[in-house]
Amino acid sequence: MTMNHITTWNEMFNLLKGFTECEGHCNVPFYHIEDGKNLSTWLYTQRAQKKRGELDAVCEKRLEEMGIVWDILSESWEDRYRLLVKF
């Protein structure tokens, strides 16, 4: 990763961290803009890079420590299933 890419990644990560602190989760809604930056697109890109095996291991670890959900469709299904079981 170039120094410029690292700086941009850290900036976006910090925006995600702020979002997570405010919202209590890091499931950013689609098209969400944070501080003028498209945080949802950035997060989508991180998920896509991980799926392709292209995400830097340090970045992946930092995102996992924050509580990132890599497969949002599967997680959404599981959430709804848990609600149904409670019902």
Side-chain angles (χ1 to χ4, degrees):
M1 288 189 348
T2 66
M3 188 58 104
N4 189 35
H5 182 75
I6 292 169
T7 301
T8 301
W9 195 93
N10 284 326
E11 179 184 351
M12 296 304 291
F13 179 82
N14 287 330
L15 290 175
L16 178 62
K17 184 177 178 182
F19 175 89
T20 302
E21 289 169 356
C22 287
E23 301 297 327
H25 61 81
C26 52
N27 296 327
V28 179
F30 206 62
Y31 296 118
H32 181 79
I33 304 298
E34 190 81 17
D35 198 28
K37 310 272 192 219
N38 195 328
L39 187 56
S40 62
T41 298
W42 178 81
L43 189 53
Y44 174 84
T45 301
Q46 304 313 297
R47 287 179 172 126
Q49 286 179 343
K50 180 183 179 342
K51 189 174 185 176
R52 292 190 306 265
E54 298 172 357
L55 185 61
D56 180 80
V58 173
C59 296
E60 183 177 338
K61 184 176 188 304
R62 289 179 69 192
L63 289 166
E64 286 177 353
E65 288 171 351
M66 187 177 298
I68 188 78
V69 173
W70 293 113
D71 186 347
I72 54 175
L73 292 178
S74 177
E75 183 69 18
S76 177
W77 190 92
E78 289 292 329
D79 286 344
R80 287 182 173 83
Y81 179 76
R82 282 189 287 269
L83 288 172
L84 179 61
V85 169
K86 282 183 179 180
F87 181 72

